[in-house]
Amino acid sequence: DGGITQSPKYLFRKEGQNVTLSCEQNLNHDAMYWYRQDPGQGLRLIYYSQIVNDFQKGDIAEGYSVSREKKESFPLTVTSAQKNPTAFYLCASSIPRQGEAFFGQGTRLTVV
Amino acid sequence: KNEVEQSPQNLTAQEGEFITINCSYSVGISALHWLQQHPGGGIVSLFMLSSGKKKHGRLIATINIQEKHSSLHITASHPRDSAVYICAVRSGGGADGLTFGKGTHLIIQP
C-alpha cells in the first residue's frame, strides 16, 4: 500500500537538544511538506520541497532544518534554536501544484 | 496570503442529525481540500474540490467559486463521525503547500 510513514509517533527530548523527525513516502510524489499544529491553530507550513536536493522555507521555518537527499525521504530537524518546539508535526506529500495531499500519522514532540 | 475561516469551531449533535460545516477563503484558489483528523492525530483526505459537488458515502462537499465558500455535509451522522474537520486551500500556482482553517471539532452523541 502506498502512503506516508512518520516516525516515531511520540518523541520526548530535553530542552537544548536537536531532534530529527522522519518522513518517508512511497507514492512517488515529487513534493513533500512539513507542517506544525498547535492547539487552537490551523496547521502551519515549516518547509517544503518540490524536488530532490531542493527545499524552500515556509511560514515558520526559524529553528528548523530539512534535507531532501532522496525522493522518498524528507527528514525534519528541530534545533535548539526553536523556542517552542513542543507541538504536533505532520508530513505530507503531493504532486506539485495539483493533486490530493497525503498525510502521515504525525509525530507528537514534547520537549521537557 | 489566503485567509481560511471555518464555522462553527465546535459542534455537538445527536446521532442521525444532518451536519453542515462551512469554510470561506479570501483569495482565489486552484483547489480546496476537506480533511478529517481523529484524536490520534493522523489526517485523512476526504475530498479535493475545484468546482461543483462531490459525494462519498454519507459525506457531501460543495464549493462555490464565486462566493469563495465551501460546505461539508454529513447525512445520518454517527458517533464514529466525531473528529476534527479541516478545510485547506491551495492557491493558484506554486507548490508552497496548503493554507489551513483552524478546524471544526464535531461530536456526535448516541
Side-chain angles (χ1 to χ4, degrees), chain A residues 35 37 45 48 50 97 100, chain B residues 1 37 45 94-96 98:
Chain A
Y35 297 97
Q37 187 178 38
L45 181 65
Y48 67 99
Q50 296 176 256
R97 291 181 290 280
E100 187 176 356
Chain B
K1 184 171 165 60
Q37 185 173 32
S45 177
D96 58 348
L98 299 166

Side-chain angles (χ1 to χ4, degrees), chain B residues 1-104:
Chain B
K1 184 171 165 60
N2 224 328
E3 301 291 332
V4 180
E5 297 288 336
Q6 282 187 241
S7 62
Q9 289 185 13
N10 297 284
L11 178 57
T12 299
Q14 295 299 121
E15 183 173 356
E17 286 189 37
F18 182 80
I19 303 299
T20 295
I21 299 170
N22 296 299
C23 175
S24 61
Y25 51 92
S26 57
V27 178
I29 62 171
S30 60
L32 181 143
H33 298 252
W34 280 104
L35 310 166
Q36 182 189 56
Q37 185 173 32
H38 278 282
I43 288 180
V44 174
S45 177
L46 299 174
F47 295 103
M48 185 182 72
L49 293 164
S50 54
S51 65
K53 176 180 175 178
K54 286 190 176 180
K55 183 176 190 291
H56 181 68
R58 295 180 294 105
L59 301 178
I60 303 166
T62 64
I63 188 168
N64 184 318
I65 297 295
Q66 288 74 28
E67 298 285 326
K68 295 187 177 63
H69 181 269
S70 175
S71 293
L72 176 68
H73 305 285
I74 304 175
T75 63
S77 59
H78 190 276
R80 65 175 174 265
D81 297 325
S82 299
V84 176
Y85 292 85
I86 301 171
C87 172
V89 300
R90 186 184 303 281
S91 299
D96 58 348
L98 299 166
T99 303
F100 295 80
K102 293 182 180 180
T104 294

Side-chain angles (χ1 to χ4, degrees), chain A residues 64-77:
Chain A
Y64 300 97
S65 66
V66 294
S67 63
R68 188 83 186 277
E69 296 176 3
K70 298 186 299 181
K71 188 176 187 177
E72 303 79 22
S73 179
F74 191 40
L76 174 74
T77 297

Side-chain angles (χ1 to χ4, degrees), chain A residues 32-34 45-51 53-59 61 66 68 74, chain B residues 95-96:
Chain A
M32 296 187 74
Y33 310 85
W34 274 105
L45 181 65
I46 304 172
Y47 267 99
Y48 67 99
S49 169
Q50 296 176 256
I51 198 167
N53 292 322
D54 185 61
F55 47 83
Q56 306 294 328
K57 292 182 179 180
D59 299 320
V66 294
R68 188 83 186 277
F74 191 40
Chain B
D96 58 348

